[in-house]
């Protein structure tokens, strides 16, 4: 169900990356339209996280190109890509243990606008503004973290930390969200709530979502389209239900695991 | 040719000394994952005990060797592992460096306390007589082969052969190599990993001991200093081998030794090459290696596939004081400050006013460590150098251009900030250990190539400050308080600045960076810019502190700003608390006061200051907020419990019901 007419926001072409002898990603190509929500699924070790890392600039691909909004990203560092509108959550938690939940969102909101705050700090003019309080409160409410806003994340559980990462990514109003297994650590109820939230954001904000998830039920609830990877290659790309019916996909899921 | 050989041959023993240390560093790193800064201290302990037994107790050389090398060497290694390094999570790179540094600073100061001050002169050699010339290489008069040469070559070769065989051809060697990859995986294979790691530490301890006793006869008087210098130069060789290959490390070590001496003979003595580049050669090599060798960029990255099983570094204890207590404590601090100022201006004895003045100046320098390590999360071993850069800049401007010293100090702070920023830019790809080594290399470059130029810095005596340089006020008046007022104001301004940064946007962004570089970049934080910023800020603060120290001492001398000061400073500040402004200030006062008090103790205790602080720093791995800060927080909590009758939740904040399992390793 690719919306014809919507401009492409992310284009990945001929992407390849290997670690020593292991080819993690091999000639991967796909695209995501603005406002579209796409599932990137595949068995463990298929290369999904590696694709994410290449898209957000954490890894340099050995070959291939990533274009965001029609612009080749080349060697652009991660932070520049983030400021362009690529938000991300991580499979292995990347939270800031010393900061509270609120500070996570606040620091993300400010970082999004760029650095150069030193002189403001030194003049004591970096207190939170009313506008910032509003935005941060809104995001926390959206993700459902309002009640733990002032708790340092070191004291929170895994599932909550995933939501913190999500809130931190959302506050910058990304145009593309890369979510890497956001539901692991959440219970069934919370997973459903999260799926609903991602869907809502996609519809309301027109945010494109690229979702890596092992919980295919959740993927089905969020995405229009699915890309299946196996052993570093894309083996299927199409409407979620169609793709799941393909023999290659069944082979990848049932045969390898 | 003959002449060249004549210069090269005496270089070989030096080279062998570097090689032995480099091989030891590589061995420990390879077998245990720890870059052991304490290695030089281990070598010194064995040499010291060996000398003490032979000279003070007239023990036979073989017996002294057995005790000091065969027993004490491995024993010390195992003790270091059991008591310290084993308790540090493999992913906590900073803690490993700090622990090694504490040993390096603490152990040599501890020996006189235990054994009394010993002047160990002309220690015997374990094998060949150092003063006998055994034969001449190729029969050339210029290439005499004496005992020093023979013993260093023979032992270095023997050590290399034994180690190679041990690591390549025995099961223990295989297990050792596997254990450093992943202690846990090895354990899953049914190997007792703890035993393997202990064996590695014992082996490296033995090597350190051997190195110590081997090198002792080459020194006129046994000094820990010499071992430190050797090790630091050997780091260059180890780095060229990417801390991986012992044979490369050994080869580079020998090469550095030979090239230095050949160059010493060949270069015209008056040239810059001779006076600046040559003494700094090992550090130039280290600097270059860190710049270009890609393998050194990932020194701290654990190769352990099971690393995520390990608990993360301990979180910093929460320092939430209840508002009621805050209402009492805050005014109390202001009162204390007032009392301090009034005392200094009125009844404080002159000697103590001087001591506390020094504390104020040190406090400013120490704040730069709060910035770079506490806020930036990186270890810099060049803070003393940065302080020196500013102090010398100010002094030189006053001396040659006639600029007011305080104006010069501001220029100097800017220069120090620029140097720090440059250092940050060149080392953007390095982190943790790599960055610590880079800053160490920079400090040594300055020590050996710039601060050592008599034309520039006035030789060991340095540059004496003149009253007139400082404007109308007499800061050197033995009965005045001008310096106190100045230093207090400067320290207060710097402390307030650091605090504002800490609580502001930059502080939060840096806290994010300390938590996760990946996550920070993912939300749009520019890591490189933050790194340069925090280095520059820290350089500026160090520079201001350095200028203050210069005014306090009325002179600037190279020896006061060398790399050893930088190493000691890190250890001192880490003890009291590197995360807070109070930590730096307490460190400074603690340091100067303890040192002054020890003046009244017998001479052998004079090094006890460093022993105390090093002991405190050893707890960094468990309590990154600093042992003193930790105690303060515990007492605060206790007081709150008793006085306010409401139990504060120290770190144990309520986890809302209904959320997933705790973060891995959070509960131990
Ligand atoms: N930094 C790395 N170094 C070496 N190998 C790596 C690295 N990152 C990934 N790999 C390898 O690349 C392959 C793809 O890994 P990747 O993490 O991208 O898979 P994934 O699809 O995200 O799997 P999972 O569902 O388990 O998260 C795997 O074989 C993995 O072992
Ligand atoms: Mg993955």
């Amino acid at each position: 169900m690719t919306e014809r007419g919507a401009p492409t926001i992310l284009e990945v072409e001929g992407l390849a990356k290997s670690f020593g002898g292991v080819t993690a990603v091999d000639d991967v190509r796909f695209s995501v339209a603005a406002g579209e929500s796409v599932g990137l699924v595949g068995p463990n070790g298929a290369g999904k996280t590696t694709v994410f890392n290449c898209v957000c600039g954490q890894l340099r691909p050995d070959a291939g190109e990533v274009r965001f909004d029609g612009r080749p990203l080349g060697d652009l560092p991660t932070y520049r890509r983030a400021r362009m509108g690529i938000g991300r959550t991580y499979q292995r938690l990347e939270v800031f243990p010393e900061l509270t939940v609120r500070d996570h969102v606040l620091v993300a909101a400010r970082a999004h606008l760029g650095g150069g705050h030193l002189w403001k700090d030194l003049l004591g003019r970096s207190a939170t503004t009313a506008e910032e309080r509003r935005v941060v409160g809104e995001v926390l409410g959206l993700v459902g973290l309002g009640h733990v806003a002032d708790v340092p994340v070191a004291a929170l559980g895994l599932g909550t930390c995933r939501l913190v990462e999500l809130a931190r990514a959302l506050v910058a109003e990304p145009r593309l969200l890369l979510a890497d297994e956001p539901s692991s650590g959440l219970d069934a109820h919370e997973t459903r709530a999260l799926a609903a939230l991602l869907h809502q954001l996609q519809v309301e904000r027109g945010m494109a979502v690229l979702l890596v998830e092992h919980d295919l039920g959740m993927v089905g609830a969020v995405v229009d389209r699915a890309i299946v990877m196996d052993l570093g290659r894309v083996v299927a790309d199409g409407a979620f239900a169609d793709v799941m019916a393909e023999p290659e996909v069944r082979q990848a899921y049932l045969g390898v695991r | 040719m003959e002449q060249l050989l004549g210069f090269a041959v005496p270089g070989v023993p030096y080279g062998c000394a570097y090689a032995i240390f480099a091989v030891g560093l590589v061995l420990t790193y390879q077998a245990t994952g720890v870059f052991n800064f304490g290695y030089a201290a281990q070598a010194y302990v064995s040499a010291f005990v060996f000398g003490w037994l032979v000279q003070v107790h007239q023990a036979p050389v073989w017996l002294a060797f057995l005790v000091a090398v065969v027993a004490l060497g491995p024993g010390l290694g195992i003790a270091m592992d059991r008591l310290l390094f084993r308790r540090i999570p493999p992913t906590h790179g900073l803690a490993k460096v700090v622990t090694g540094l504490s040993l390096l600073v603490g152990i040599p100061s501890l020996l006189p306390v235990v054994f009394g001050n010993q002047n160990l002169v002309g220690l015997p050699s374990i094998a060949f007589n150092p003063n006998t010339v055994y034969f001449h290489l190729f029969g050339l008069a210029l290439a005499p082969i004496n005992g020093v040469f023979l013993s260093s070559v023979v032992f270095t070769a023997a050590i290399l052969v034994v180690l190679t065989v041990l690591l390549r051809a025995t099961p223990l060697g295989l297990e050792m190599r596997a254990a450093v990859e992943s202690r846990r995986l090895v354990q899953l294979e049914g190997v007792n990993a703890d035993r393997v790691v202990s064996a590695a530490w014992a082996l490296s301890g033995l090597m350190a001991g051997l190195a110590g006793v081997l090198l002792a006869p080459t020194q006129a008087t046994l000094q820990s200093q010499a071992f430190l210098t050797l090790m630091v130069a050997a780091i260059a060789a180890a780095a060229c081998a990417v801390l991986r290959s012992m044979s490369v490390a050994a080869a580079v070590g020998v090469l550095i030794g030979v090239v230095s001496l050949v160059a010493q003979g060949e270069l015209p003595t008056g040239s810059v090459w001779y006076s600046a580049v040559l003494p700094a050669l090992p550090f130039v090599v280290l600097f270059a290696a860190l710049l270009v060798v890609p393998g050194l960029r990932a020194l701290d990255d654990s190769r352990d596939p099971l690393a995520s099983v390990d608990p993360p570094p301990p979180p910093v204890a929460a320092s939430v004081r209840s508002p009621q207590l805050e209402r009492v404590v805050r005014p109390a601090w202001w009162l204390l400050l007032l009392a301090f100022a009034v005392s200094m201006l009125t009844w404080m004895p002159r000697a103590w006013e001087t001591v506390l003045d020094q504390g104020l100046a040190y406090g400013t320098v120490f704040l730069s460590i709060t910035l770079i390590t506490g806020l930036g999360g990186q270890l810099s071993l060049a803070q003393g150098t940065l302080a020196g850069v500013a102090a010398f800049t100010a002094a030189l401007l006053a001396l040659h251009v006639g600029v007011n010293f305080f104006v010069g100090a501001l220029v100097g702070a800017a220069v120090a900030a620029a140097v720090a920023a440059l250092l940050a830019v060149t080392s953007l790809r390095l982190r943790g250990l790599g960055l610590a080594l880079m800053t160490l290399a920079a400090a040594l470059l300055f020590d050996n190539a710039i601060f050592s130029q008599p034309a520039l810095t006035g030789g060991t005596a340095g540059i004496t400050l003149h009253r007139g340089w400082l404007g109308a006020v007499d800061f050197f008046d033995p009965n005045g308080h001008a310096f106190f007022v100045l230093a207090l104001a400067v320290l207060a301004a710097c402390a307030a600045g650091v605090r504002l940064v800490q609580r502001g946007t930059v502080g939060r962004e840096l806290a994010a960076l300390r938590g996760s570089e990946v996550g920070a970049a993912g939300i749009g934080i520019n890591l490189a810019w933050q790194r340069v910023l925090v280095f520059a800020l820290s350089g500026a603060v160090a520079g201001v502190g350095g200028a203050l120290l210069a005014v306090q001492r009325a002179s600037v001398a190279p020896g006061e700003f060398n790399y050893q000061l930088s190493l000691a400073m890190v250890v001192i500040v880490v003890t009291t608390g590197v995360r807070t402004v109070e930590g730096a200030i307490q460190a400074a006062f603690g340091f100067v006061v303890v040192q002054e008090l020890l003046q009244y103790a017998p001479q052998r205790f004079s090094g006890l200051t460093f022993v105390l602080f090093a002991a405190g720093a050893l707890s960094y791995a468990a309590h990154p907020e600093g042992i003193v800060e930790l105690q303060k927080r515990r007492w605060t909590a206790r007081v709150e419990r008793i006085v306010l009758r409401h139990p504060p939740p120290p770190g144990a904040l309520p986890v809302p019901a209904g959320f997933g399992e705790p973060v891995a390793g959070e509960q131990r």
Side-chain angles (χ1 to χ4, degrees), chain B residues 208-254:
Chain B
L210 200 58
V213 171
L214 209 54
L215 298 173
T218 61
Q219 300 169 18
T221 309
L222 191 70
Q223 280 177 331
S224 67
Q225 196 68 38
F227 289 94
L228 183 57
T229 315
L230 265 177
M231 180 184 77
V232 171
I235 292 176
C240 287
V242 205
L243 297 184
R244 205 166 286 152
S245 159
M246 290 187 218
S247 38
V248 173
V252 176
V254 173

Side-chain angles (χ1 to χ4, degrees), chain A residues 58 78-79 82-83 86 88 90 92-99 103-104 106-108 110-112 116-118 121-124 126 128 144-145 147-148 151-161 163 168 185 187 190, chain B residues 308 315-316 374 496-498 500-509 511-527 529-530 533 537 579 651-663 666:
Chain A
Q58 209 175 308
T78 306
Y79 80 94
R83 289 184 193 173
I86 302 181
R88 162 135 201 220
Y90 300 85
R92 243 195 70 201
L93 281 186
E94 298 287 357
V95 289
F96 315 132
E98 291 171 36
L99 295 186
D103 276 345
H104 269 75
L106 185 66
V107 81
R110 286 196 182 164
H112 177 62
H117 299 291
L118 181 63
D121 285 356
L122 286 174
L123 295 178
S126 45
T128 334
L145 289 175
H147 60 295
V148 286
V151 179
V153 296
L156 296 177
L158 178 65
T160 322
C161 286
L163 295 179
R168 174 178 90 175
D187 65 26
E190 289 163 338
Chain B
S308 52
V316 182
V498 173
L500 283 168
V501 170
Q502 198 170 23
R503 296 189 171 170
T505 313
V506 173
R508 282 207 193 91
E509 294 193 339
L513 256 174
R514 288 198 302 274
S516 159
E517 295 198 353
V518 170
I523 57 170
I525 295 177
N526 183 348
L527 311 186
W529 169 248
Q530 295 286 345
L533 189 67
L537 262 182
R579 293 306 186 88
L653 289 140
V655 178
F659 281 96
E661 64 269 48
V663 182
E666 182 189 306

Side-chain angles (χ1 to χ4, degrees), chain B residues 3-394:
Chain B
Q3 202 189 1
L4 194 70
L5 208 64
F7 292 129
V9 167
V12 172
Y14 282 98
C16 286
Y18 294 146
I20 295 178
F21 270 83
V23 168
L25 290 173
V26 172
L27 172 74
T28 331
Y29 184 76
Q30 275 302 301
T32 66
V34 171
F35 185 85
N36 184 9
F37 277 100
Y39 199 75
Q42 283 176 280
Y44 177 63
V45 168
S46 284
F48 185 96
V49 172
F50 175 78
W52 180 71
L53 286 173
V54 169
Q55 290 207 331
V56 180
H57 295 277
Q58 270 80 39
V61 168
W62 63 267
L63 183 65
F65 179 79
L66 277 184
V67 174
V69 177
V70 181
L72 188 60
L76 191 56
I78 291 176
M80 279 162 58
D81 175 42
R82 286 282 154 100
L83 302 178
L84 300 168
F85 288 107
R86 179 163 302 187
R87 296 159 189 247
I88 304 175
T91 45
H92 198 355
L94 215 55
K96 293 187 210 168
V97 177
V98 168
T99 304
L101 288 177
S102 325
L103 293 170
L104 185 62
V105 171
I107 291 181
S109 312
L110 182 64
L111 287 178
V113 178
V114 177
F115 295 97
N117 276 332
Q118 302 291 344
N119 194 18
L120 302 170
V121 183
L123 292 184
S125 171
I126 36 174
F128 306 91
N129 185 345
N131 300 322
T132 310
V133 173
Y134 288 84
F135 58 91
H136 286 91
L137 200 60
F138 309 126
L140 299 176
L142 275 170
I145 301 301
N146 58 14
V148 173
F149 185 100
L150 270 185
S151 59
S152 45
V153 171
V154 168
F155 276 100
T156 309
I159 285 171
L160 270 179
V161 169
V162 170
L163 281 180
T164 309
V165 170
L166 198 69
L167 289 184
R168 299 265 158 231
T170 63
L172 180 70
L174 182 66
E175 287 171 7
M176 265 187 205
R177 277 181 288 147
V180 73
E181 292 279 323
S182 171
R183 240 180 238 206
R184 289 165 190 287
L185 273 184
V186 168
Q187 227 140 12
L188 292 180
E189 294 292 327
V191 175
N192 183 348
D194 285 349
R195 191 184 52 93
V196 173
V197 173
S198 289
W201 276 101
L203 191 61
S204 85
L206 180 70
M207 274 200 54
L210 200 58
V213 171
L214 209 54
L215 298 173
T218 61
Q219 300 169 18
T221 309
L222 191 70
Q223 280 177 331
S224 67
Q225 196 68 38
F227 289 94
L228 183 57
T229 315
L230 265 177
M231 180 184 77
V232 171
I235 292 176
C240 287
V242 205
L243 297 184
R244 205 166 286 152
S245 159
M246 290 187 218
S247 38
V248 173
V252 176
V254 173
L255 202 66
I256 292 178
V258 172
V259 169
S260 309
L261 279 224
V262 169
Q264 201 169 14
E266 299 285 333
L267 289 173
T269 37
S271 69
V272 179
W273 290 98
Y274 187 87
S275 67
V277 179
L278 186 60
L281 183 69
F283 318 118
V284 176
V285 173
L286 177 58
F287 206 85
L290 285 162
L291 270 187
V292 299
V293 179
L296 292 174
R297 284 170 205 156
L299 285 184
D300 279 337
D301 295 352
S302 173
R303 285 162 286 171
D304 186 350
L306 292 183
S308 52
V309 174
D310 287 310
V316 182
S319 71
V320 238
R321 259 188 231 133
S322 59
Q324 292 103 308
L325 199 65
E326 194 69 8
R327 235 173 286 144
V328 184
V329 170
R330 249 166 198 265
W333 275 114
W334 285 111
L335 269 180
L336 189 68
L337 181 64
L338 189 70
F340 169 65
V342 170
S343 311
M344 285 292 267
L345 296 173
T346 52
W347 61 267
M348 189 67 74
R350 182 43 61 175
W352 278 96
E353 180 169 343
T354 308
V355 168
L356 296 173
D357 277 350
Q358 209 173 16
L360 292 170
Y362 270 121
T364 313
V365 183
F366 288 1
L367 275 176
S368 76
I369 296 178
T370 310
L371 276 170
I372 209 158
T373 306
L375 274 174
Q378 300 293 347
L379 211 53
S380 162
L381 304 181
Q383 296 308 103
T385 305
L386 295 172
V389 165
F392 274 117
T393 306

Side-chain angles (χ1 to χ4, degrees), chain A residues 48-50 91 180-181 212 214:
Chain A
K48 307 173 298 276
T49 302
T50 307
Q91 180 178 0
D180 201 343
E181 305 199 8
V212 166
H214 283 296

Side-chain angles (χ1 to χ4, degrees), chain A residues 8-88:
Chain A
T8 311
I9 190 151
L10 177 73
E11 259 181 293
V12 174
E13 239 177 56
L15 196 70
K17 176 79 195 174
S18 45
F19 300 101
V22 183
T23 307
V25 169
D26 188 11
D27 194 24
V28 163
R29 55 189 68 230
F30 64 86
S31 62
V32 178
E36 189 188 18
S37 134
V38 178
L40 182 62
V41 296
N44 287 116
K48 307 173 298 276
T49 302
T50 307
V51 168
F52 270 23
N53 285 342
C54 291
V55 169
C56 75
Q58 209 175 308
L59 285 176
R60 296 266 163 275
D62 300 336
E65 195 175 68
V66 177
R67 279 194 293 273
F68 184 71
D69 228 3
R71 183 178 160 196
L73 293 181
D75 292 339
L76 219 57
T78 306
Y79 80 94
R80 294 278 299 276
R81 298 181 193 211
R83 289 184 193 173
M84 284 170 74
I86 302 181
R88 162 135 201 220

